[in-house]
Amino acid sequence: MTDTPANTNTGPDHARDADACVESLRAALIAHGILLPSLRLDLPTYASYHVPPLVALGNCNLATARRLTEALEQSAVADGDR
């Protein structure tokens, strides 16, 4: 069984942190030519006091999935993970 982090879903810092996380991810994806139109915060978990918010990546077409795969593979090679 894993430990769950303390609830951080309260106050304005929670909202800013969650929004900043999604926007940082969006910017990083765009830098690699990847657009996930459905990228957003999962509203039920964002509003919850019991679980940390989740980021919904959404659906994408095959071309986008291939670009995402390529970007991750290139990053792994650059980091020496392969």
Side-chain angles (χ1 to χ4, degrees):
M1 182 170 204
T2 60
D3 292 330
T4 56
N7 181 3
T8 58
N9 292 11
T10 58
D13 289 339
H14 155 72
R16 279 191 290 273
D17 185 45
D19 289 334
C21 180
V22 170
E23 291 309 314
S24 293
L25 178 56
R26 186 183 322 279
L29 289 167
I30 288 172
H32 287 279
I34 300 166
L35 176 64
L36 296 178
S38 301
L39 178 64
R40 61 178 174 74
L41 287 170
D42 175 69
L43 293 180
T45 58
Y46 180 77
S48 173
Y49 287 98
H50 304 289
V51 296
L54 297 175
V55 175
L57 300 175
N59 298 328
C60 66
N61 61 32
L62 291 177
T64 300
R66 287 184 182 112
R67 285 195 303 275
L68 183 55
T69 300
E70 182 180 319
L72 291 170
E73 288 173 346
Q74 288 175 355
S75 177
V77 169
D79 290 342
D81 291 345
R82 290 200 166 195

